[in-house]
Amino acid sequence: MRSSAGSEAQTGLPSEYDGISAFQIIILGAGGGPNEDNVSGILVRSVAAQWAKNSMLAVDAGIHLAGIIRIFEKHTPDAIRCNGGEQILSPSAAFSQMPSLSSHRPSIAKPFSPVTRTSDWASTSHAQHVDSDAKLVMTSGPFKDLLLPCEDPKANASLLLRNMISTYLITHPHLDHLSGFAINTAAFHNTSRPKKVAALPWCIDAIKDHIFNDVIWPNLSDEEGGVGFVSFTRLIEGGNVALGDGEGRGYIEVCEGLEVKCWAVSHGHCMKKHVHRGSQDLAPGLVAGDRRPSRQSIAATPDSRGNFPHSELTPRLSQTPCVIDSAAYFIRCAETAKEVLIFGDVEPDSISLSPRNARVWDDAAPKIASGILKAIFIECSYDDSQTDETLFGHLAPRHLAEEMRKLAGKVSVCKTHAARADESSGDAESIRKRKRQNDGLDAERRRGRPSTREALQRNSTSLSPMSGLAANGDEKRSYHVSAAGNRQKRSPRPRTRTERTLHDRPLAGLKVVVIHIKEALTDSIPVAQIIIDQLRAYEKQDTLGVEYIIPSAGGSIYI
């Protein structure tokens, strides 16, 4: 997992593509407010898809086009200007003419476009039509190696937006995750097809009802008489089992080379007196307008099951909560089958009225155990000085560390089961081998002569640690007991080194990228520094093997 220069200071990771990564994650915004130029916004692309048209998706878009422009403005001064006499790949090769995965699946053993001169590309399958109209070649930053037809960073950012970003995965419809997308819809004209918004149905309903309603914003969708710049894809929670097969069952392809599966998670509870659109129905006996518990009326400590007693709620209500929904996306690379997990805003199960993180960890654990999933992007909005009563549906380091401990337990179970399965497979083969040997032994006995093995044992004058036979003239009985008794009901085999270390650093190799940090905007120590110090202190205590990373806006991470 490697990071571009934009976040190298925080991660200490090299900036160059390592030749084996499946994803490039571009951080447009890593904060949680209140500064509006650094709120949630991430771009994801499959490295195997190269820079193909429609090969990039956005996960949330509180900041979007402005973040792309900022990257181009920072790195355009480092770009190479294309002179008319030089032979440079066409800009159309970068934006619209690259071969798609359906027609060509290149190996990802080498980075895409390490050079840009056609003389260096002549022997490869990527050689494209030479075009002297190319203006710039990016040489640094997340968009390194892209040929750009314009000199102005804003023009190039607009071109990338229209041609390469096809899908928007929205975790929940709060403004810090959606406002950039809404405003940027004005730039979606002159595209060959509508931009796709993929989300759970309740999220799409909220976007339709409260954004594209011709009041807050024009209806630019293709539903209910809208303009048609945006289309909606309603995802099924937990995946659509009718789609895909094998490890990819349930995933839906949302852009070139990338597939997703989604789980709903909880983001606090609603304070408003209404029937909520969320994941749970009203409790029996409650009707629309019944008072919901306020945040101030809820004690900080739940009972052992994570629920709050009735006596701590005002007024007395059923335990069915009115929750605010968010989502977590498993994103899968179709070429490599590797995955990354990206959360929207989320609260800890330990204080949630509707704890749902465990379902995500149940899905993630076997993927981590098998090496399929190596990175989780998850929020940690506040440091540990924030009380539980004022988290408002977010995580603090103590809660994120607690969630990692729960995940580690599930991963340990998966690794233990896998180790036992491997051992059972090996034992079965050993049993079959011994059975073949014993069958041969019985056949020789029936013919009235000792087997070669018995003959050797009779000539032995020492104890054999493998056969358990003593040279005392009782070899036949000893062997019979060993074969029919000990080998069928043998003592448990000593634990292997792998088994002994399964519970030692069960999350070793897992990168947890911390996002949605809320800035304090003071002269004191930055909140991000406090959070990462606290998380690393928990990791030092727990020794789970987690590596916590805080990225910077404008950087990228290879996974």
Side-chain angles (χ1 to χ4, degrees):
M1 178 171 175
R2 300 175 183 269
S3 167
S4 75
S7 55
E8 190 169 352
Q10 283 72 18
T11 67
L13 296 171
S15 61
E16 294 299 320
Y17 171 58
D18 57 9
I20 60 174
S21 294
F23 300 95
Q24 183 189 15
I25 314 293
I26 300 173
I27 310 297
L28 301 180
N35 188 353
E36 73 274 13
D37 75 347
N38 186 26
V39 289
S40 298
I42 293 174
L43 299 179
V44 182
R45 75 179 182 95
S46 165
V47 176
Q50 304 180 11
W51 292 104
K53 185 175 183 179
N54 296 318
S55 64
M56 191 175 291
L57 63 81
V59 181
D60 287 334
I63 184 173
H64 191 54
L65 181 57
I68 300 171
I69 291 173
R70 184 164 55 194
I71 292 173
F72 276 116
E73 287 178 338
K74 178 179 179 180
H75 295 283
T76 294
D78 299 329
I80 297 175
R81 184 176 299 277
C82 302
N83 297 323
E86 291 185 306
Q87 297 266 302
I88 303 292
L89 289 180
S90 168
S92 59
F95 289 116
S96 62
Q97 295 185 10
M98 288 304 301
S100 66
L101 286 175
S102 60
S103 60
H104 176 64
R105 293 184 177 270
S107 169
I108 62 168
K110 297 181 180 180
F112 167 68
S113 188
V115 293
T116 55
R117 297 180 185 275
T118 52
S119 59
D120 296 315
W121 279 64
S123 61
T124 75
S125 62
H126 304 295
Q128 299 288 333
H129 173 68
V130 175
D131 192 334
S132 61
D133 292 334
K135 300 291 181 63
L136 299 173
V137 180
M138 297 298 289
T139 62
S140 63
F143 303 124
K144 180 182 177 182
D145 295 327
L146 275 181
L147 261 103
L148 306 175
C150 305
E151 296 188 10
D152 182 69
K154 294 181 180 179
N156 287 320
S158 176
L159 185 61
L160 183 141
L161 174 72
R162 294 175 186 172
N163 288 274
M164 298 195 67
I165 302 171
S166 67
T167 304
Y168 294 79
L169 301 180
I170 305 299
T171 61
H172 65 294
H174 285 176
L175 288 178
D176 59 329
H177 297 255
L178 187 63
S179 60
F181 165 77
I183 294 171
N184 296 160
T185 52
F188 291 173
H189 62 282
N190 295 333
T191 57
S192 59
R193 62 185 181 187
K195 297 297 184 184
K196 183 188 304 179
V197 172
L200 291 170
W202 52 261
C203 184
I204 288 177
D205 289 345
I207 294 172
K208 287 183 59 179
D209 294 344
H210 303 294
I211 302 295
F212 294 139
N213 59 5
D214 289 323
V215 177
I216 299 299
W217 200 250
N219 182 9
L220 300 182
S221 76
D222 59 359
E223 297 185 7
E224 300 181 7
V227 174
F229 287 174
V230 175
S231 66
F232 296 115
T233 297
R234 292 164 175 82
L235 302 177
I236 297 175
E237 185 177 3
N240 187 340
V241 296
L243 299 177
D245 56 10
E247 294 295 329
R249 180 173 295 278
Y251 287 76
I252 180 173
E253 185 177 15
V254 292
C255 76
E256 191 73 32
L258 294 175
E259 305 164 344
V260 302
K261 181 170 66 174
C262 183
W263 288 100
V265 295
S266 296
H267 178 28
H269 65 276
C270 187
M271 296 181 288
K272 196 173 181 180
K273 303 176 184 178
H274 73 137
V275 179
H276 192 59
R277 67 177 184 279
S279 62
Q280 301 201 26
D281 296 329
L282 285 169
L286 286 179
V287 297
D290 278 355
R291 178 176 173 81
R292 295 292 176 179
S294 66
R295 295 182 188 274
Q296 292 79 6
S297 69
I298 298 178
T301 305
D303 63 23
S304 60
R305 294 178 297 175
N307 297 320
F308 292 89
H310 282 298
S311 60
E312 296 181 357
L313 302 181
T314 304
R316 185 178 178 86
L317 293 175
S318 166
Q319 289 298 288
T320 302
C322 177
V323 297
I324 297 172
D325 291 316
S326 183
Y329 287 103
F330 286 91
I331 303 175
R332 183 175 188 267
C333 173
E335 176 73 13
T336 65
K338 299 296 185 181
E339 298 188 25
V340 62
L341 172 58
I342 303 180
F343 278 81
D345 293 356
V346 61
E347 67 181 351
D349 273 357
S350 60
I351 64 172
S352 176
L353 294 179
S354 178
R356 291 180 278 178
N357 296 339
R359 301 184 306 175
V360 182
W361 302 143
D362 286 339
D363 201 349
K367 302 176 191 293
I368 294 171
S370 63
I372 292 174
L373 175 63
K374 292 186 175 296
I376 298 173
F377 287 70
I378 189 168
E379 70 129 282
C380 189
S381 296
Y382 302 102
D383 64 46
D384 273 341
S385 66
Q386 197 83 1
T387 64
D388 287 355
E389 297 94 327
T390 57
L391 282 174
F392 302 110
H394 294 291
L395 297 176
R398 62 185 179 275
H399 300 113
L400 180 51
E402 178 186 31
E403 294 290 337
M404 289 299 104
R405 286 191 288 270
K406 294 176 182 177
L407 174 60
K410 295 177 184 292
V411 172
S412 291
V413 170
C414 292
K415 289 184 176 181
T416 299
H417 288 169
R420 289 175 179 172
D422 290 343
E423 181 180 298
S424 297
S425 176
D427 286 349
E429 178 60 30
S430 297
I431 291 171
R432 287 193 293 270
K433 182 177 180 180
R434 288 194 295 270
K435 185 177 184 303
R436 289 194 297 269
Q437 292 172 342
N438 293 341
D439 288 345
L441 175 65
D442 291 341
E444 291 186 355
R445 283 174 176 164
R446 287 193 296 270
R447 288 195 293 269
R449 62 177 184 270
S451 66
T452 303
R453 181 174 183 176
E454 287 179 310
L456 290 174
Q457 289 169 348
R458 288 172 180 171
N459 292 329
S460 174
T461 59
S462 64
L463 180 67
S464 170
M466 298 302 295
S467 65
L469 302 177
N472 59 1
D474 195 22
E475 300 91 340
K476 182 175 182 179
R477 181 175 181 276
S478 298
Y479 180 79
H480 175 75
V481 171
S482 177
N486 291 343
R487 293 190 178 180
Q488 295 298 321
K489 299 180 180 180
R490 69 185 187 281
S491 300
R493 179 181 299 174
R495 293 175 65 85
T496 65
R497 179 178 298 179
T498 300
E499 290 177 306
R500 290 195 300 270
T501 59
L502 283 177
H503 297 285
D504 180 23
R505 296 169 52 84
L507 300 183
L510 179 67
K511 316 295 183 183
V512 175
V513 183
V514 180
I515 54 178
H516 202 269
I517 294 174
K518 293 183 178 293
E519 300 174 74
L521 304 181
T522 66
D523 279 338
S524 59
I525 299 174
V527 176
Q529 187 61 55
I530 297 173
I531 287 175
I532 196 68
D533 288 345
Q534 291 175 346
L535 287 171
R536 288 171 178 168
Y538 285 119
E539 168 56 26
K540 184 176 181 180
Q541 171 186 307
D542 297 335
T543 62
L544 302 179
V546 174
E547 179 182 354
Y548 291 106
I549 295 167
I550 295 182
S552 293
S556 72
I557 298 173
Y558 282 96
I559 300 171

